[in-house]
Amino acid sequence: VRRCRRRRRPLPLPAPGPAVGARLPRSLRRRGPRLRGNGRASGATAAPAPPRPAPPRGDRPPAALGKGGRRGWPRPPAGRWGARGGAAPAGPRPRPPFSLPSAQLVGSDGGLQHRLAEAILREKKNFKISIHLATSLPLPPERDHLRPRIDLVAFMIDIKSKYSLKNVEASLAYVDDSFFLGKVCFLVTGVGRVNCCSVEMNAIQNLGEVYCSPVLFCELEVEGSQVATAQRLLRMLEICAGHVPGVSALSFSSLMRNCADD
Amino acid sequence: MESVEGVARTLLSFGRLSRGLPFGRAHGLSSRDPLLPLAPRSQENADPQRTAFLLRKQWTLYSVTPLYRFSNAHLRDYARLLSAFIAAEKQKGLAVEVGVELDIKVAVSSLPYLKGSDQDQAAILVQLSSRSPASPKNSEEKLIWSGWFCCVSGDDISKNVPEDFTCLPLFLVNGAECYTSIVGSWFQKTFDCSFRRLAISPLILSWMAAMWTGCKVDKTASAIELVFSVPCLPQPLDISYAIHPEDAKALWDTVQKTPGEIIQEEVDVFMDCLYSHFHRHFRIHLSATKLVKVSTAIASAHCDGIIKFLQSQYLTGVLMLLTELAISQIE
């Protein structure tokens, strides 16, 4: 049985999964449920084929490991997703090792999302990422088993459309609480045109305060602002995925909010 | 939260509007500071005769920075200087009007009754009238252009301005664009001010719709009409949504808590009810479109900065709102 050491350096490129029977040490197991990722995975690198995570060390002995590891895998509790019925055994799903940092963009304007996702993927970076797009949450449950762990959720609000704000407010209910510790941000676009504004600024600021998440303002129609926003989101994704040593998602988001207050 | 549910319960008892909860999620946070001043109040002492010439005309809005060394005593001199300037411009060959040689007369007068408080400056009216040289001397002159500066309850700006400056932040124009540019450039040169088109955002238009719906009108009111423009389509599409004035007023009365005070939350609830009613029938989310025009019995406003006054009793109230907008654009 090969022992996995605690990772202190950024992840290497995806490698084949661990040998069957290996167990992740407790330090690598991530507790807490995660947001189901998406409909479409966009970008040059798709998420890898469903990884075969090792089962958690716990009271229950891992069952049926020989065949492929997923059977007997504890499913997250139903109540958190809102889309499934039926009881399920409790227990967190640990992070599949070597999966890519993934971001989830949620917003009502599909074209704008695509452009932003492409801008993020064009940026120079030393690790591969995957970006998932969705118009609203909850995501359809059919592809739950294929979704990777999401590191950052960015809600896009267009200041010219009240509908986008309502869409985001409705979707926020389907995100688990643990995400709001630094893994959620609000992206407000269209701020270049004050004369077309249909959404009140106070409402957006209140949203950021209530959900303790940073609010980024940008103008995605303008090339320069698009590139700058892509860089910011990439940096946030890097931090939320744990690739930057010494900075955690929570500390970074409180830093951003303190700067915004100033 | 409870206010929203209360409104929903009252709505369910409405015969004419659709039943059912129009909005799923409570908005929650109420911002207690009103963004804009109070709803226009009816002016009992306004003289409808004197303001009749302002009604039912389309006025284009501009915001004006304070005028330097403007004085009410020299209005005749200003009229003389302006007509000389216009004659000079015509001499220079700038096409004022193609074809007919017109003799343009300028009249500058003051409208002292158009003010909100005593600290405001009296409104100044500039009128250009013409008489064709072919017609006899004593024939009537035709009004070809009119513009007026006004300031109604503009305390925010008049307090902070130094001595020699006169604050008249709102400028309304009716007439040809060529005359507007000539008169505007004369004022800019003489009083060192600057004019800027005043655009009205959809957020402010929805405030106007809510505020003006609640106003009491004596005669039979015309329908409340909202015009939306749908973005991102190959061919432009405009949606016009007309609401019976009594229904709209009844809806607004259930939404508004304190008479005489309006908060953003109430405006949001009012507009959400209208949008969800529309969605129920046509499956179109009006909240994703852009509101471009609002027409009520009191006034009608377009997002390009065009306004039409329809009731003299609420004239001052609407001017107060427009002055506030002009001041916020200047600052």
Side-chain angles (χ1 to χ4, degrees):
Chain A
V1 169
R2 201 182 62 186
R3 285 190 57 182
C4 299
R5 289 215 189 80
R6 185 192 180 106
R7 287 200 305 273
R8 290 190 198 280
R9 280 184 294 256
L11 281 176
L13 291 177
V20 165
R23 289 174 186 182
L24 282 179
R26 203 165 283 157
S27 56
L28 276 188
R29 270 181 258 146
R30 300 279 196 269
R31 304 236 167 243
R34 32 194 72 80
L35 179 71
R36 300 301 175 84
N38 100 324
R40 325 187 279 295
S42 103
T45 56
R52 295 186 304 142
R57 192 189 302 195
D59 304 337
R60 283 179 299 151
L65 262 194
K67 291 284 157 46
R70 289 216 68 121
R71 227 182 304 152
W73 192 249
R75 297 163 75 98
R80 306 209 199 197
W81 313 119
R84 307 173 142 229
R93 176 158 57 154
R95 185 192 183 116
F98 310 122
S99 69
L100 303 178
S102 310
Q104 172 83 47
L105 299 183
V106 181
S108 57
D109 189 341
L112 223 50
Q113 278 186 342
H114 259 107
R115 271 187 277 163
L116 180 62
E118 280 161 18
I120 297 177
L121 291 167
R122 273 198 296 264
E123 288 293 319
K124 192 158 105 49
K125 48 194 176 295
N126 359 340
F127 51 93
K128 293 204 178 136
I129 61 171
S130 83
I131 304 182
H132 305 259
L133 309 182
T135 45
S136 68
L137 302 177
L139 300 164
E142 292 88 39
R143 299 193 52 187
D144 270 347
H145 56 286
L146 293 176
R147 289 188 188 124
R149 191 187 107 125
I150 298 290
D151 293 301
L152 173 69
V153 184
F155 289 99
M156 296 174 63
I157 299 172
D158 188 354
I159 217 171
K160 302 193 281 289
S161 151
K162 193 109 202 266
Y163 177 67
S164 64
L165 180 64
K166 292 216 183 334
N167 185 32
V168 161
E169 281 174 352
S171 303
L172 277 165
Y174 294 99
V175 177
D176 193 77
D177 302 337
S178 59
F179 270 89
F180 293 108
L181 299 173
K183 300 202 175 181
V184 168
C185 81
F186 295 102
L187 194 62
V188 180
T189 178
V191 296
R193 308 220 186 112
V194 175
N195 291 336
C196 296
C197 128
S198 297
V199 174
E200 214 216 355
M201 271 308 169
N202 275 345
I204 297 179
Q205 301 286 12
N206 280 333
L207 204 63
E209 275 167 28
V210 164
Y211 288 99
C212 304
S213 300
V215 181
L216 306 181
F217 294 94
C218 63
E219 174 58 82
L220 290 176
E221 314 268 340
V222 171
E223 186 63 38
S225 179
Q226 193 179 63
V227 166
T229 313
Q231 287 169 349
R232 287 176 93 176
L233 283 177
L234 186 60
R235 178 64 62 208
M236 282 182 75
L237 178 58
E238 211 180 353
I239 292 174
C240 293
H243 284 200
V244 178
V247 183
S248 76
L250 187 55
S251 65
F252 186 66
S253 80
S254 7
L255 181 70
M256 282 193 76
R257 282 190 300 125
N258 287 341
C259 291
D261 288 340
D262 297 335
Chain B
M1 319 293 174
E2 64 280 7
S3 67
V4 160
E5 282 147 18
V7 169
R9 275 198 291 275
T10 341
L11 274 180
L12 282 173
S13 62
F14 258 112
R16 300 205 204 179
L17 290 182
S18 62
R19 307 184 82 243
L21 208 59
F23 34 95
R25 210 157 287 286
H27 290 280
L29 315 157
S30 65
S31 45
R32 274 281 143 185
D33 344 316
L35 171 69
L36 294 173
L38 312 177
R41 287 206 194 86
S42 167
Q43 298 276 122
E44 281 82 21
N45 51 359
D47 189 359
Q49 303 280 358
R50 291 188 289 180
T51 52
F53 72 100
L54 297 172
L55 301 182
R56 280 174 293 275
K57 269 192 198 156
Q58 249 185 350
W59 299 100
T60 308
L61 297 171
Y62 289 82
S63 67
V64 187
T65 56
L67 304 160
Y68 183 60
R69 295 236 173 114
F70 178 89
S71 108
N72 271 339
H74 300 135
L75 295 182
R76 288 245 177 98
D77 301 330
Y78 297 151
R80 215 168 10 95
L81 290 168
L82 182 52
S83 60
F85 183 75
I86 295 178
E89 292 288 311
K90 270 201 338 205
Q91 285 270 323
K92 265 196 255 180
L94 286 175
V96 168
E97 201 155 306
V98 177
V100 186
E101 266 294 317
L102 287 179
D103 182 24
I104 297 187
K105 205 162 89 81
V106 176
V108 179
S109 56
S110 156
L111 305 169
Y113 45 89
L114 274 181
K115 46 157 103 170
S117 62
D118 289 325
Q119 286 95 18
D120 292 332
Q121 284 287 322
I124 305 289
L125 175 66
V126 179
Q127 282 175 315
L128 265 60
S129 42
S130 71
R131 190 195 311 133
S132 162
S135 62
K137 263 280 164 93
N138 47 1
S139 70
E140 288 209 351
E141 289 172 350
K142 200 168 71 126
L143 184 66
I144 53 172
W145 185 92
S146 48
W148 45 297
F149 296 85
C150 80
C151 176
V152 179
S153 300
D155 304 325
D156 304 335
I157 195 175
S158 11
K159 274 188 296 210
N160 303 334
V161 134
E163 275 298 317
D164 292 326
F165 285 90
T166 312
C167 283
L168 288 165
L170 189 64
F171 182 51
L172 299 96
V173 170
N174 173 269
E177 175 59 33
C178 50
Y179 295 118
T180 310
S181 58
I182 295 179
V183 175
S185 52
W186 184 79
F187 271 93
Q188 285 182 156
K189 268 196 273 206
T190 318
F191 301 109
D192 194 28
C193 57
S194 90
F195 289 73
R196 224 175 105 197
R197 242 347 247 272
L198 181 67
I200 309 179
S201 71
L203 195 60
I204 307 289
L205 282 176
S206 60
W207 266 86
M208 290 174 170
M211 279 175 20
W212 297 344
T213 303
C215 295
K216 277 195 273 292
V217 189
D218 300 330
K219 318 189 267 288
T220 341
S222 56
I224 313 275
E225 194 188 338
L226 307 171
V227 178
F228 299 86
S229 131
V230 185
C232 311
L233 284 184
Q235 279 154 346
L237 174 68
D238 277 348
I239 299 177
S240 160
Y241 182 14
I243 307 150
H244 194 278
E246 281 167 16
D247 289 345
K249 183 150 184 357
L251 173 62
W252 177 245
D253 288 338
T254 59
V255 172
Q256 190 184 21
K257 296 286 169 322
T258 339
E261 189 189 280
I262 301 178
I263 56 177
Q264 178 67 44
E265 214 186 18
E266 290 166 359
V267 176
D268 284 341
V269 166
F270 178 70
M271 297 305 288
D272 284 341
C273 293
L274 298 179
Y275 292 162
S276 58
H277 182 71
F278 194 86
H279 176 68
R280 189 185 165 88
H281 288 280
F282 299 103
R283 295 276 161 238
I284 295 179
H285 286 284
L286 285 177
S287 46
T289 61
K290 181 182 170 194
L291 178 59
V292 295
K293 186 169 177 199
V294 168
S295 300
T296 63
I298 309 250
S300 128
H302 190 277
C303 68
D304 287 338
I306 300 173
I307 192 120
K308 202 189 238 189
F309 304 106
L310 299 165
Q311 292 271 332
S312 59
Q313 64 201 90
Y314 289 105
L315 182 62
T316 322
V318 177
L319 284 175
M320 191 156 49
L321 174 57
L322 295 175
T323 311
E324 177 93 11
L325 285 180
I327 291 175
S328 65
Q329 183 166 311
I330 296 173
E331 283 172 358

